[in-house]
Amino acid sequence: MKISKVINDLPNEMLLKIFAHLSIEDLALSIQHVSERWHQISKDDVLWRDAVFSPKNTMSNEEIILLLQNVPALKTFSTNSETKLKLILDGLHDSRLQIQHFDLQRSQTLSLTTLRRIVELFPDVKYLTLPLPKMMTTQIKWAQVLG
């Protein structure tokens, strides 16, 4: 009698180790849609604790928003475009994201409006890596927004 094994026979711990080698895009847009079990495993904090999502320049705003809506456990988001960030934030107004770190250091500039929007949408954010504004008055306004 031949015994066949399939990937679903593996314990969750093994699947978690396999999933740890996949990209954020694969986890968000493929793996979690295979089955309810894979969906639950793909949400494990172990996969998201050190993950940083930095969208490729070729991704549309809609693709970025869709991906972010499918990774509520993501902790770090990085972008180099304030224009994209504004549109993405508008698309995430009712998300369940748990982002704790915004890395915006590569952005050329960051407006006070965008900074306020981040603080409004993500009140529990712990780290903001920001480009330092050149004007002292802007630095003071940022400090007021961040408390």
Side-chain angles (χ1 to χ4, degrees):
M1 178 182 208
K2 184 179 177 182
I3 300 175
S4 77
K5 293 280 185 177
V6 293
I7 195 163
N8 274 336
D9 292 338
L10 294 173
N12 289 357
E13 295 77 21
M14 290 298 293
L15 287 175
L16 193 58
K17 289 182 184 220
I18 293 168
F19 291 177
H21 294 282
L22 299 174
S23 70
I24 290 174
E25 291 86 348
D26 288 336
L27 289 169
L29 303 175
S30 298
I31 293 299
Q32 65 177 265
H33 301 291
V34 171
S35 69
E36 182 58 33
R37 178 178 175 221
W38 284 29
H39 178 81
Q40 292 305 315
I41 296 168
S42 74
K43 301 291 185 198
D44 194 297
D45 269 349
V46 169
L47 295 172
W48 301 104
R49 179 180 10 207
D50 299 320
V52 177
F53 176 54
S54 183
K56 298 174 183 86
N57 289 334
T58 56
M59 290 182 81
S60 70
N61 294 331
E62 293 77 18
E63 290 171 319
I64 295 169
I65 291 167
L66 176 65
L67 188 139
L68 288 171
Q69 289 172 334
N70 282 286
V71 291
L74 181 71
K75 304 290 186 254
T76 304
F77 178 72
S78 175
T79 185
N80 60 359
S81 166
E82 182 181 6
T83 305
K84 259 192 176 191
L85 180 60
K86 285 180 186 176
L87 296 169
I88 293 165
L89 290 172
D90 288 343
L92 295 175
H93 64 277
D94 61 349
S95 73
R96 306 173 325 274
L97 281 173
Q98 301 171 17
I99 295 177
Q100 296 176 0
H101 180 195
F102 278 89
D103 181 356
L104 309 172
Q105 189 62 40
R106 297 179 301 141
S107 297
Q108 296 296 322
T109 60
L110 186 68
S111 71
L112 196 55
T113 304
T114 302
L115 184 58
R116 278 192 183 112
R117 188 79 171 127
I118 291 170
V119 172
E120 173 189 306
L121 286 173
F122 302 96
D124 297 327
V125 72
K126 293 180 181 178
Y127 306 100
L128 281 168
T129 308
L130 305 168
L132 189 60
K134 294 180 174 99
M135 302 281 296
M136 181 60 86
T137 55
T138 304
Q139 291 178 14
I140 292 169
K141 288 178 183 175
W142 278 22
Q144 290 169 339
V145 168
L146 297 174

